[in-house]
Amino acid sequence: MQENVARADRSRAIPFNAAKLDRLMEAAGLDVLVATSKHNVQYLLGAERAIFFDYMDALGVSRYLPVLVYPKGAPEHAVYVGHRLETHQRAVAPPWVAQVRTESNGSIDAITRAASLIRDAGVPLKRVGVEMAFLPMDAGRALSDALPGAELKDALLVLERLRSVKSAEELAKLKTASELVIASMLEVIAGHGPGTTKQQLSDALRIAEANRGLTFEYCLLACGNSHNRAPSAQRWEQGEVLSLDSGGNYHGYIGDLARMAVLGDPDAELKDCLAEIEAVQRAAFAAVQPGAMGGDIYVAAERQLAQVSQRDCTEFLAHGMGLVSHEAPRLTAKGPIPYDDPDARLPLETGMVVSIETTMKHPKRGFIKLEDTVAVTATGYEIFGEGGRGWNLGSSAL
């Protein structure tokens, strides 16, 4: 066997619900699934992403393109084609896939190798599901050339439905990510005082998350009466509010939460504003339970929003999350990121995870927001990372 062909671990169980995937593929009219996004390859492979390509894709004159091919009803013929630079990683932790070939150098050779291997397996190849948004044009053309007569269909929703209900292991990672993001935020708030710039706060949060084993993704932050959430030279001063909204992932699973702080004691108006936001959050939480329609979350939130004093500048959003920050369940077609809302009319299922967020863009007091991660449990819901929900106090040190 070639040195760069890893031996699959046949003793490893398939890490996802293969029967569910087969049903989804049948309903979508797919014979074969070709996954090429790093998040879906990670999910289907049941293994960590390639170390060298975790932060980038560009390489030389091409790009990294992991390819996992799954034939409906025939997991024994699954194929994974990775880059040569991940050979050692796959040897240390062999995945379940029957053929693991770490031989590719770029997008075209990766997809053509995968097509050749699956074609040799003799499985039906008339209808091929691909990730249209994650398949480079050169690789898409090469796949069409390698499989003449095959119809390429978008499989994004098939893969999203497969991931919509999280396993116990996935839920544990999401909970850990959420708790570590909150701990990082509280550390940064307590350790910084008047005169700290937003850029310094963002940099400090990056370090705090990294020190806890998270991969820092972003920090959106606003202070004073400004609603601008980009890191900048603006300073956080005495008496001003601070909004921290950060995403940090733990082994690919995202912790995305928002908390508030103030320099000095919060006055009555600030306490009332945050209490109103908290009431909307709690109303939305109460609607999260298995069997309830996804849209019930919005119904409950809107009812409570009607009582908010700053209703005209207060917004509510709920969206699914996991390996991707906006994934199923999809609950609204009117959010900041456009997509359809099929799950508003479908029952929530145990194991789904929803981000619930209420934002008040107060004209005088600034940006006030809470965002929480909520998992659907057999008996209702569980909040991941519940700490720091009130007005957290910044350092008094100058």
Side-chain angles (χ1 to χ4, degrees):
M1 180 174 288
Q2 301 177 43
E3 183 181 357
N4 61 346
V5 179
R7 294 182 181 275
D9 186 350
R10 301 299 180 86
S11 65
R12 283 199 61 193
I14 297 175
F16 55 88
N17 187 333
K20 179 179 180 180
L21 178 54
D22 291 340
R23 292 194 301 271
L24 290 167
M25 291 176 66
E26 178 66 25
L30 301 179
D31 299 316
V32 171
L33 182 65
V34 180
T36 51
S37 66
K38 286 191 284 191
H39 58 277
N40 276 320
V41 167
Q42 174 186 342
Y43 184 85
L44 295 171
L45 201 61
E48 297 287 338
R49 300 180 188 185
I51 297 169
F52 192 83
F53 300 101
D54 194 18
Y55 296 96
M56 64 174 182
D57 295 328
L59 186 69
V61 296
S62 187
R63 58 159 289 168
Y64 172 62
L65 190 72
V67 184
L68 192 145
V69 184
Y70 176 89
K72 183 182 64 181
E76 67 276 10
H77 292 304
V79 170
Y80 175 65
V81 175
H83 195 276
R84 295 175 184 273
L85 290 175
E86 61 186 288
T87 299
H88 294 167
Q89 185 178 351
R90 303 309 173 197
V92 169
W96 67 272
V97 180
Q99 291 197 71
V100 179
R101 309 291 288 264
T102 50
E103 307 173 330
S104 72
N105 294 302
S107 56
I108 295 177
D109 68 320
I111 205 78
T112 53
R113 287 173 190 273
S116 176
L117 289 168
I118 199 65
R119 191 173 56 240
D120 292 345
V123 299
L125 291 168
K126 291 184 178 180
R127 302 165 301 176
V128 179
V130 300
E131 297 183 79
M132 292 292 188
F134 294 91
L135 184 63
M137 183 175 288
D138 60 357
R141 287 173 174 169
L143 183 61
S144 294
D145 292 343
L147 302 176
E151 178 188 5
L152 301 187
K153 304 177 69 175
D154 196 358
L156 184 147
L157 293 180
V158 167
L159 287 162
E160 187 173 77
R161 288 291 147 195
L162 178 66
R163 301 194 323 267
S164 63
V165 174
K166 275 59 178 176
S167 67
E169 182 181 2
E170 290 180 284
L171 291 170
K173 289 179 179 177
L174 283 163
K175 184 174 183 178
T176 297
S178 301
E179 291 174 345
L180 294 179
V181 167
I182 292 296
S184 300
M185 287 179 172
L186 297 182
E187 175 189 311
V188 169
I189 291 168
H192 292 80
T196 307
T197 68
K198 293 203 305 180
Q199 185 64 61
Q200 289 171 327
L201 289 164
S202 179
D203 292 343
L205 188 60
R206 178 189 297 272
I207 294 170
E209 291 185 5
N211 285 342
R212 288 173 169 79
L214 293 173
T215 297
F216 175 88
E217 292 197 357
Y218 61 86
C219 175
L220 304 174
L221 71 171
C223 67
N225 61 7
S226 172
H227 299 160
N228 186 303
R229 297 203 290 163
S232 71
Q234 181 187 356
R235 298 183 183 277
W236 184 28
E237 301 293 0
Q238 189 70 23
E240 292 183 344
V241 305
L242 170 69
S243 168
L244 287 180
D245 184 343
S246 181
N249 82 60
Y250 182 75
H251 298 278
Y253 287 83
I254 298 169
D256 179 15
L257 303 102
R259 291 294 184 263
M260 295 303 303
V262 64
L263 282 175
D265 294 327
D267 57 37
E269 184 180 31
L270 288 180
K271 290 179 180 178
D272 288 345
C273 288
L274 194 57
E276 289 180 336
I277 290 174
E278 174 73 7
V280 177
Q281 293 289 100
R282 292 292 174 183
F285 297 164
V288 177
Q289 52 185 310
M293 294 296 106
D296 291 351
I297 296 174
Y298 269 84
V299 172
E302 290 291 343
R303 187 181 301 119
Q304 189 64 40
L305 276 170
Q307 303 178 39
V308 173
S309 59
Q310 297 290 329
R311 177 65 188 93
D312 291 344
C313 61
T314 303
E315 304 166 353
F316 176 81
L317 179 64
H319 58 87
M321 59 181 296
L323 283 168
V324 177
S325 61
H326 277 250
E327 62 177 35
R330 299 201 182 278
L331 302 169
T332 179
K334 299 178 181 179
I337 300 175
Y339 44 70
D340 293 332
D341 59 347
D343 296 290
R345 296 169 293 280
L346 293 173
L348 296 171
E349 300 178 54
T350 301
M352 287 182 167
V353 179
V354 181
S355 177
I356 292 176
E357 48 187 292
T358 305
T359 304
M360 179 185 293
K361 298 177 183 177
H362 197 288
K364 295 181 180 180
R365 306 311 301 266
F367 198 96
I368 306 174
K369 175 179 181 177
L370 290 176
E371 181 174 8
D372 295 286
T373 299
V374 182
V376 184
T377 68
T379 56
Y381 66 89
E382 179 182 358
I383 302 172
F384 291 167
E386 193 171 1
R389 307 186 61 81
W391 283 107
N392 300 289
L393 303 183
S395 173
S396 58
L398 293 174

